[in-house]
Amino acid sequence: FRDRIMFPINDVNGNPIAFTARLNPDKDASQEKTGKYINSPQCAIYDKSRVLFGLDKAKSVIKEKNFAIVVEGQMDVITCHQFGFKNTVASSGTALTSEQISLLKRYTKNLALCFDADAAGQLAADRGIREAMLQGMNIKVIIIPHGKDPDDALRQDLASFVLAVRNAKPVMEYYFEKITAGLNLEMVEH
């Protein structure tokens, strides 16, 4: 954890159960032998697939607004909360698991996924959507404007992010647009 930014990971009741550490942004990542993020090892009280970062702080707002925004990383959650999106939690760099969805179902059946725009983020979104559908969740997808992750998008243009949340796409519309992107639907050959 040396020369890293530390984030405590709490259970749903606010009890610290682990830590995650992000590489110092000022440090040259190419010199690092480990990844950008490292976590406490899995143990009896900490299983990454059973914890949502920020749920202890977001659960009452999730219940009140009747929907949760799910992002990938801790910085995304922190920035979302700073900008007023206090119903945000993170799957901590993994696709949503069935255990994480079960946790969220205690507070809402409505999810808005806001994963990174890169290939890994889109793959995580697809896996999360599949798991959420299996549990009967109502799913929307937030298309991130001006940036590769919610943290960047919020810092660059709050108004566009607010609009993106408001205009989150139902999951089937998201897939239809994703599959037909770049196709000319006016021509049968395409």
Side-chain angles (χ1 to χ4, degrees), residues 2-5 21-29 36:
R2 181 171 300 201
D3 200 23
R4 289 179 176 265
I5 301 167
R22 185 194 189 284
L23 189 62
N24 183 337
D26 298 330
K27 191 171 182 178
D28 181 10
K36 183 176 176 181

Side-chain angles (χ1 to χ4, degrees), residues 10-28:
N10 297 334
D11 65 13
V12 71
N13 298 314
N15 301 310
I17 56 172
F19 292 93
T20 191
R22 185 194 189 284
L23 189 62
N24 183 337
D26 298 330
K27 191 171 182 178
D28 181 10

